[in-house]
Amino acid sequence: MTDTSKYKLNHSMIRVKDPKRSVEFYEFLGLKVINKIQNPDAKFDLIFLAYDGPKAVSHGNHWTDREGIVELTHNYGTEDNADYKVSNGNTEPHKGFGHLCISVDNLQAACTRLEDAGYKFQKKLSDGRMKHIAFVLDPDGYWVEVIGQKPLEETESVKDTDTGSYRMNHTMIRVKDKDASLKFYQDIMGMQLKRTSENPNAGFNLYFLGYGAPAAENAPSGVSATADHEGLLELTYNYETEKDASFKYHNGNDEPQGFGHICIAVDDLDAACARFEEKNVNWKKRLTDGRMKNIAFVLDPDGYWIEVVQNEKLKTRSNW
């Protein structure tokens, strides 16, 4: 048997050109390298970063027993290839993955700190109508949304920010058919719908899903009800896309590559995969395929990859 209430949205993988620059950026955001899997024979490394200070949600946990990890995949030699560039998922005609998002204790101070360090922004707090979100760019041009855990007016007089209190809040992907995607992530992946943001005037809706605790019932004005969470999945649905038979989002694994996958850590890997089989999921890789018998990949309705691994705290399987 497998219990979906014990699942965790463990990590989101993005490919990077120069691991040193990328690690430096994400460490500046307060994340720490908690695991590294080197594959010299296949010429790639995997670097896992997460919030791990005393205030972190999953402080000290095994890497498979966490939510909100960022996995950086580095293919050897890309840092020396002047022509190599990832697809950040936000440029036509290869839109799909949208962004990672961190929530911070002091939104203005956090953005000032990033700007002072020389990092570029896709959107500053002062840009546009939405004054409570910003988007900073990582070294490869991936967007990282920055949102506050407290109302802006509560933090205006405070000039400091504590990265130890930050959260890796969510990963955003665009979906063609909201009903198909919501059904898939709820009924098959076992996630709960935490929050919905409908924006009919702008022609899009946002759906936040995940495991664990529900959204806050009485969030302060201007603060997301899920700002204190880690490991959420945000589905962005632009109206009417499901009516266009030729419309398709880019999954990040077809060329040009960038975003790779999200990963679910489960209580019992064999039982979870048997349940997925019963529900007739589309597989990218079954457990029995290839040499790696400790991971599987399921495809969601848009063709995004979902890795499935064993939560090693609940049941030992791999010597990661």
Side-chain angles (χ1 to χ4, degrees):
M1 294 290 290
T2 182
D3 179 358
T4 58
S5 70
K6 295 180 179 178
Y7 291 11
K8 294 189 174 188
L9 182 41
N10 179 251
H11 70 255
S12 299
M13 185 276 266
I14 54 175
R15 297 171 176 88
V16 299
K17 175 173 180 155
D18 185 335
K20 290 183 179 179
R21 291 185 65 210
S22 295
V23 168
E24 181 182 62
F25 171 81
Y26 287 101
E27 286 185 335
F28 190 79
L29 293 181
L31 291 97
K32 297 179 181 179
V33 175
I34 60 165
N35 191 36
K36 191 170 183 179
I37 299 175
Q38 297 176 301
N39 298 276
D41 292 342
K43 297 184 178 179
F44 72 90
D45 292 341
L46 310 177
I47 305 166
F48 298 83
L49 298 103
Y51 287 107
D52 196 40
K55 298 177 184 177
V57 177
S58 302
H59 172 62
N61 286 18
H62 189 272
W63 75 270
T64 61
D65 186 40
R66 292 172 178 259
E67 296 192 297
I69 295 174
V70 178
E71 177 190 352
L72 308 180
T73 292
H74 169 235
N75 294 293
Y76 295 0
T78 54
E79 67 274 29
D80 299 319
N81 182 352
D83 296 326
Y84 181 84
K85 184 179 180 181
V86 303
S87 173
N88 71 5
N90 290 302
T91 305
E92 295 290 2
H94 303 114
K95 282 189 174 182
F97 166 73
H99 59 258
L100 302 173
C101 174
I102 61 170
S103 66
V104 302
D105 59 341
N106 184 330
L107 185 54
Q108 289 157 307
C111 289
T112 297
R113 177 175 174 268
L114 283 161
E115 193 168 357
D116 289 347
Y119 290 111
K120 296 180 180 180
F121 282 74
Q122 177 66 27
K123 178 199 177 299
K124 295 181 179 180
L125 289 177
S126 55
D127 296 338
R129 290 179 300 169
M130 300 183 75
K131 305 300 183 184
H132 60 285
I133 62 171
F135 286 89
V136 64
L137 297 173
D138 90 344
D140 286 285
Y142 292 113
W143 297 12
V144 180
E145 184 178 10
V146 188
I147 62 173
Q149 299 166 2
K150 300 174 183 177
L152 279 174
E153 56 270 21
E154 283 188 19
T155 59
E156 284 179 343
S157 61
V158 181
K159 302 302 181 184
D160 297 325
T161 180
D162 175 13
T163 59
S165 66
Y166 291 10
R167 302 279 185 263
M168 181 53 68
N169 184 252
H170 69 256
T171 298
M172 185 276 265
I173 56 175
R174 298 173 177 89
V175 299
K176 175 176 179 173
D177 185 331
K178 65 178 176 58
D179 294 329
S181 293
L182 287 168
K183 180 177 176 61
F184 172 84
Y185 282 104
Q186 291 178 98
D187 295 353
I188 296 179
M189 303 313 296
M191 293 182 182
Q192 303 136 32
L193 181 61
K194 308 282 187 181
R195 182 168 72 88
T196 299
S197 173
E198 296 185 345
N199 302 276
N201 291 335
F204 72 91
N205 294 349
L206 310 176
Y207 303 94
F208 294 82
L209 301 104
Y211 301 103
E217 292 186 7
N218 298 304
S221 177
V223 175
S224 165
T226 52
D228 61 337
H229 284 53
E230 283 200 321
L232 296 178
L233 180 66
E234 176 188 356
L235 305 181
T236 293
Y237 163 66
N238 292 293
Y239 294 1
E240 307 294 318
T241 50
E242 76 278 12
K243 296 180 180 179
D244 182 351
S246 64
F247 185 87
K248 184 180 180 181
Y249 282 119
H250 185 69
N251 67 10
N253 291 301
D254 298 329
E255 294 292 345
Q257 294 184 323
F259 167 74
H261 60 260
I262 60 171
C263 174
I264 309 298
V266 300
D267 57 342
D268 186 310
L269 184 57
D270 292 292
C273 287
R275 176 179 169 274
F276 292 146
E277 191 75 58
E278 291 173 0
K279 289 187 172 289
N280 297 313
V281 301
N282 291 320
W283 294 96
K284 179 65 182 179
K285 178 199 174 300
R286 289 180 167 86
L287 281 178
T288 52
D289 295 339
R291 292 179 301 167
M292 300 185 71
K293 307 301 183 185
N294 296 317
I295 60 172
F297 282 92
V298 173
L299 296 175
D300 91 341
D302 287 279
Y304 294 112
W305 297 14
I306 303 169
E307 185 179 13
V308 189
V309 301
Q310 175 66 49
N311 183 328
E312 298 287 327
K313 180 185 177 183
L314 301 180
K315 186 177 181 181
T316 302
R317 180 188 180 98
S318 310
N319 186 25
W320 294 107

